[in-house]
Amino acid sequence: MKTRIKSWRNVSSKRYQWIHQLVEQRGSELEEEMILCNKCRISLYKEKKRNKVVRNYVSSSIEPEEGFNENINRENNSIFDNRIKIEGFYGDGNDKDYCSWCLKAGTETKALSNIERMLLICDYKIYCSANARRCKNGCVDIPVDRSIEPTYLDHNQIYLLINDLICEVHRVKYMPLLVEDDGVTSEGDYVAWTGWNLSQLKDMTSLISPRMHKSKHRQPFEALCMYWIKLKTNLSFRQIGTLFKVQSKEESIRKRVEDSFHAISNYLYDAIVPSHLGINHLSRALAITHHTAYTTTFFGSSLALIWDGTYIYCNKSEDHKLQQETYSGQKSRHLVKFMSIILPDGYILDLIGPFKAKDNDAKISKV
């Protein structure tokens, strides 16, 4: 008659040193008294047999439990039925209870996205199941080595893995240059292309999203990135369309990007300018708080404003008439003029223009 396996077992003795070693490899600390359920004990025994690296420390003087070993061997042999070893890859896919990067259990974790799973496979040759998780607050930058944990997959796991790889190839094929939270693009990439970091781009996207029409061809974040890339790099609309994999007819790509550019310009103007520029964006009481000690002494509670001209340099136009109107004899350069209404402490209340480069402040004030 077979000995019945207990549901719980004390594994603190030396006969279970092979369990101690596996637990330590996972980054957990050993306790003076450790209780293990039968299911976990069987799982660890399977891992020991698969890896073939953990020595059996059970003393030969201790009589083995026949029922336990017989059940384990039967289950252990069945786990390799119809399984294929994936050479050069590591990880057994039993990763839902611990972090796939640091291999520590008991920490607060979050599910790995498909992109992160494919990153582990492509960059580190580590296989993770769809249930894989990672420390929520981050842990290590490079995953812990798993060279002692070969990958065995059954036909269903291989099927799912191939599907994931196909989806990843398809995603990369049509992925725009910059994507919101793709997990791959660095902060420096956003700044290099647009001049803004990811957080700032998200803030601007939240402002324009309510104003944009829903379209499968144009996401708010991507359209915003195209707008700032155009301003920062002056690439052609057609080139930007290529970078963002705009799905359209060849002759329509340039127009689609150009339409997005002008739309974003209008959306940003409507969302930002009225709240930060113009006579009506600030009350009289708030405007007086921008007085300096000098203006308070001379003007008291009366509102003081400063009217002054400024200019912005521009390139020489191919249009002869526009070239004449934007050329300043005083600066010997091409520019456009604006009249600024400023409060005494330098706060810009409003900006009026543009005006011709040859117009002086006196002439502009009469307009």
Side-chain angles (χ1 to χ4, degrees):
M1 183 176 178
K2 296 181 181 179
T3 305
R4 185 178 179 182
I5 303 174
K6 297 180 180 179
S7 298
W8 298 90
R9 188 176 295 268
N10 190 316
V11 294
S12 305
S13 63
K14 290 185 177 181
R15 67 182 295 183
Y16 295 108
Q17 285 190 12
W18 60 274
I19 292 181
H20 303 169
Q21 186 170 350
L22 287 175
V23 171
E24 287 179 331
Q25 286 177 358
R26 292 190 174 188
S28 300
E29 296 182 359
L30 301 179
E31 302 290 342
E32 292 183 1
E33 184 175 357
M34 295 181 292
I35 307 297
L36 200 66
C37 71
N38 183 53
K39 184 177 180 181
C40 293
R41 191 155 48 94
I42 292 175
S43 176
L44 289 171
Y45 191 88
K46 290 178 182 179
E47 184 175 339
K48 170 193 171 185
K49 297 293 287 185
R50 280 200 303 272
N51 297 339
K52 296 181 181 180
V53 294
V54 182
R55 294 175 54 193
N56 188 356
Y57 287 93
V58 179
S59 173
S60 58
S61 61
I62 301 177
E63 184 179 354
E65 299 174 274
E66 294 180 0
F68 173 73
N69 286 336
E70 185 176 342
N71 290 337
I72 290 293
N73 289 332
R74 187 183 301 115
E75 292 189 26
N76 188 59
N77 290 332
S78 66
I79 66 172
F80 288 105
D81 293 345
N82 300 321
R83 289 203 171 205
I84 299 175
K85 181 179 180 181
I86 311 299
E87 294 292 343
F89 288 82
Y90 307 98
D92 58 6
N94 297 323
D95 41 25
K96 64 178 180 179
D97 297 324
Y98 57 88
C99 174
S100 298
W101 286 69
C102 65
L103 303 184
K104 291 184 178 180
T107 60
E108 188 177 2
T109 59
K110 62 179 180 179
L112 282 182
S113 65
N114 284 337
I115 297 176
E116 291 173 316
R117 289 175 53 224
M118 294 301 104
L119 179 68
L120 284 174
I121 289 178
C122 297
D123 290 358
Y124 302 104
K125 302 295 187 293
I126 294 177
Y127 168 76
C128 291
S129 69
N131 299 320
R133 306 185 70 81
R134 185 180 184 181
C135 291
K136 191 171 184 179
N137 298 323
C139 46
V140 295
D141 295 328
I142 299 177
V144 174
D145 178 63
R146 298 193 188 183
S147 56
I148 62 173
E149 190 179 309
T151 299
Y152 288 90
L153 302 180
D154 58 30
H155 70 281
N156 186 55
Q157 289 174 313
I158 294 174
Y159 171 78
L160 294 175
L161 178 59
I162 292 175
N163 271 347
D164 289 340
L165 290 172
I166 291 174
C167 291
E168 179 65 11
V169 171
H170 188 272
R171 183 189 70 84
V172 172
K173 181 179 179 181
Y174 296 103
M175 184 178 68
L177 174 66
L178 298 177
V179 182
E180 185 176 6
D181 291 333
D182 65 347
V184 177
T185 307
S186 67
E187 192 75 13
D189 291 333
Y190 290 108
V191 175
W193 280 104
T194 67
W196 305 94
N197 60 39
L198 180 58
S199 177
Q200 292 169 328
L201 290 171
K202 284 183 176 181
D203 290 341
M204 285 186 275
T205 302
S206 65
L207 292 175
I208 65 174
S209 293
R211 294 173 166 80
M212 289 190 68
H213 299 293
K214 300 295 182 181
S215 172
K216 64 178 181 179
H217 300 292
R218 183 182 65 187
Q219 298 299 322
F221 184 84
E222 296 170 14
L224 182 70
C225 289
M226 287 192 288
Y227 173 81
W228 287 113
I229 287 176
K230 175 62 178 176
L231 293 181
K232 190 173 189 297
T233 66
N234 199 29
L235 292 174
S236 69
F237 290 124
R238 181 62 182 83
Q239 290 171 320
I240 294 175
T242 300
L243 292 175
F244 279 82
K245 310 292 178 63
V246 175
Q247 301 300 307
S248 182
K249 295 180 180 179
E250 180 66 27
E251 60 273 12
S252 302
I253 294 178
R254 187 202 65 80
K255 186 178 185 304
R256 193 177 294 278
V257 176
E258 184 180 7
D259 290 344
S260 296
F261 176 85
H262 293 301
I264 293 297
S265 179
N266 292 331
Y267 295 145
L268 287 175
Y269 181 90
D270 294 339
I272 297 176
V273 174
S275 301
H276 298 85
L277 201 63
I279 297 295
N280 297 323
H281 89 276
L282 206 64
S283 66
R284 185 178 186 278
L286 285 176
I288 291 177
T289 62
H290 289 276
H291 276 200
T292 62
Y294 178 87
T295 54
T296 301
T297 301
F298 282 88
F299 301 102
S301 59
S302 299
L303 180 61
L305 299 174
I306 300 171
W307 170 277
D308 191 20
T310 186
Y311 49 85
I312 300 175
Y313 291 120
C314 63
N315 293 325
K316 182 179 179 181
S317 174
E318 294 180 355
D319 185 281
H320 181 67
K321 183 178 180 181
L322 183 59
Q323 182 187 143
Q324 285 183 318
E325 292 177 346
T326 57
Y327 183 77
S328 170
Q330 179 189 11
K331 300 295 182 181
S332 299
R333 289 186 63 176
H334 290 82
L335 54 88
V336 289
K337 284 192 172 182
F338 289 87
M339 290 303 295
S340 53
I341 302 175
I342 305 173
L343 295 174
D345 65 350
Y347 184 91
I348 299 176
L349 184 64
D350 199 2
L351 204 61
I352 305 172
F355 299 99
K356 298 177 183 179
K358 60 183 180 181
D359 294 344
N360 56 31
D361 293 358
K363 183 176 180 179
I364 293 175
S365 63
K366 296 178 182 179
V367 176

